[in-house]
Amino acid sequence: MSCVGFVSRYRNSIHAIRVGKHMIRLTSRHRAQGGRRARHLAFPLVAGGFLFLGGALGWAPQPGKGSTPTPLVESPRRIAVVDGLSAPEAVVFDPALDVYFVSNVNGSPAVKDGNGFISRIRSDGQVDSLHFIQGGRNGVVLNAPMGSRVKGDTLWVLDVDVLRGFDTRTGASLATIDFSPLGALFLNDLAIGPDGDFYITDTGVGVGSDGKMSHPGPDRIYHVGPDRRPTVALETPALASPDGIDWDARAKRVVLAPFGGTAVQSWRPGEAAPTDVAPGKGRFDGMEVGRDGSILVTSWNDSSVATLEGNRLVRRIGPLSMTPADASLDARSGRVGIVSLEADRFELWTWQ
């Protein structure tokens, strides 16, 4: 991928998309900067949530078999929207608190401008705290927050070239792990391994003295062990601008969403290169392995959320009206939160 192509996908640009007249605004909050509003919207549901067909409730006859019933699977539905975020690049659901944490770059990725923030959104799609964690407030340093994971009561968030830990209940800063001595450029996403260790992607994007972004590389995966000392676990162009990453416990492997590649990848620690697993439309971004073992992957090129099933990607939601940067599953409620960096938006969808 060219530098221009890569940067155009990551720039902080488009205002929130205007949505249809059938939405009902439930809450409204002013943003602290710029005068824009963060709005929570909910969409009407099909009455009763059922489909009536052939006189049967939720059933349809199989072709050629008369009255033999076949259950109809309800299509995913968008049930809530939060507009007016600021370049939301990542989202993670915390089942302990029943909330989504959303990383807002609030500027240009990879730039240390000190104004990044984390929003906290309830599992029903209502904003709990727009600026739950805010750079420059209460001694917090936060520049351009990206990928995040929850481990216990700590929210781990990548921020340009460091990994920061915050208390999930109070937002207090707990820890900082610095990758700059290793030459880290663009820490993008992280996975928590089987031993509580971290695997972290570096997409290899840098910012020049003129403020323009480029992709000098290298493409890397870092590892952080129990001693919290970061090391380079893998460095190869085969990573193809690595973006999303998570740990697949069932297969004892890392799964990867390469932004610059055309196939979802897997990699086991110690291997010399990743392996292409499932071809797709490309510009993969978010990657999450759910607690039930399902593997979610987002793609900008077809505006979808898919699941990795064997060696194929199965579209579950999409095409969306926005490019999805990340998605996180609330398995208990059967919902998934999706964010779009370009649209400044969070959407909540049903998930089956």
Side-chain angles (χ1 to χ4, degrees):
M1 175 184 294
S2 69
C3 294
V4 173
F6 184 90
V7 172
S8 67
R9 309 302 171 192
Y10 268 95
R11 63 186 178 180
N12 177 32
S13 55
I14 304 175
H15 286 295
I17 300 173
R18 183 183 296 270
V19 290
K21 64 180 180 180
H22 298 295
M23 297 181 298
I24 304 172
R25 187 170 71 184
L26 298 181
T27 62
S28 179
R29 296 171 184 254
H30 284 283
R31 288 194 52 200
Q33 299 178 0
R36 291 193 299 170
R37 300 173 71 87
R39 299 173 306 195
H40 172 258
L41 305 170
F43 291 77
L45 308 179
V46 176
F50 295 102
L51 174 65
F52 291 85
L53 182 63
L57 178 60
W59 298 86
Q62 286 184 338
K65 292 191 176 183
S67 61
T68 303
T70 300
L72 295 177
V73 178
E74 185 182 7
S75 298
R77 293 176 292 108
R78 181 173 50 188
I79 55 178
V81 172
V82 176
D83 272 325
L85 299 174
S86 187
E89 203 282 335
V91 58
V92 62
F93 182 72
D94 182 357
L97 297 181
D98 207 30
V99 297
Y100 294 92
F101 292 102
V102 177
S103 298
N104 291 261
V105 173
N106 196 24
S108 179
V111 174
K112 296 182 179 182
D113 51 16
N115 65 356
F117 64 95
I118 308 291
S119 300
R120 195 164 71 173
I121 299 174
R122 298 200 322 236
S123 62
D124 60 3
Q126 296 193 51
V127 176
D128 174 68
S129 176
L130 183 61
H131 297 90
F132 175 64
I133 302 170
Q134 171 73 64
R137 189 182 69 191
N138 298 328
V140 168
V141 176
L142 195 60
N143 297 293
M146 302 281 284
S148 60
R149 301 288 177 200
V150 173
K151 183 176 183 292
D153 59 0
T154 302
L155 172 67
W156 291 97
V157 183
L158 294 169
D159 186 16
V160 186
D161 57 2
V162 301
L163 174 61
R164 304 189 191 279
F166 298 96
D167 189 295
T168 56
R169 297 181 183 275
T170 68
S173 181
L174 300 176
T176 300
I177 301 175
D178 188 7
F179 290 73
S180 61
L182 296 176
L185 292 177
F186 195 92
L187 301 183
N188 204 321
D189 200 12
L190 71 155
I192 299 176
D195 301 318
D197 48 347
F198 299 101
Y199 293 94
I200 296 169
T201 55
D202 187 338
T203 311
V205 172
V207 180
S209 57
D210 57 359
K212 295 182 179 180
M213 300 180 70
S214 61
H215 181 224
D219 296 342
R220 287 174 168 175
I221 295 176
Y222 296 100
H223 178 254
V224 179
D227 61 357
R228 294 192 175 179
R229 184 177 64 88
T231 59
V232 177
L234 181 65
E235 179 180 320
T236 172
L239 287 168
S241 299
D243 199 317
I245 185 173
D246 207 355
W247 179 260
D248 179 8
R250 291 182 178 179
K252 298 180 180 179
R253 63 177 180 174
V254 162
V255 281
L256 295 156
F259 196 81
T262 57
V264 170
Q265 300 175 326
S266 70
W267 173 74
R268 289 180 172 85
E271 292 180 339
T275 300
D276 288 350
V277 174
K281 296 295 185 179
R283 289 183 189 152
F284 304 109
D285 196 338
M287 171 70 72
E288 180 178 276
V289 179
R291 292 174 179 266
D292 61 354
S294 58
I295 302 175
L296 282 63
V297 186
T298 67
S299 168
W300 287 40
N301 271 358
D302 67 353
S303 299
S304 71
V305 179
T307 51
L308 176 62
E309 301 180 15
N311 61 355
R312 65 193 185 105
L313 290 170
V314 178
R315 180 188 286 180
R316 300 291 297 274
I317 297 176
L320 295 160
S321 62
M322 61 183 192
T323 51
D326 201 12
S328 190
L329 180 63
D330 172 6
R332 181 172 53 201
S333 299
R335 297 174 177 178
V336 62
I338 307 168
V339 293
S340 173
L341 181 141
E342 288 190 326
D344 291 339
R345 174 183 287 183
F346 168 93
E347 293 188 354
L348 187 64
W349 286 72
T350 59
W351 183 266
Q352 294 184 7

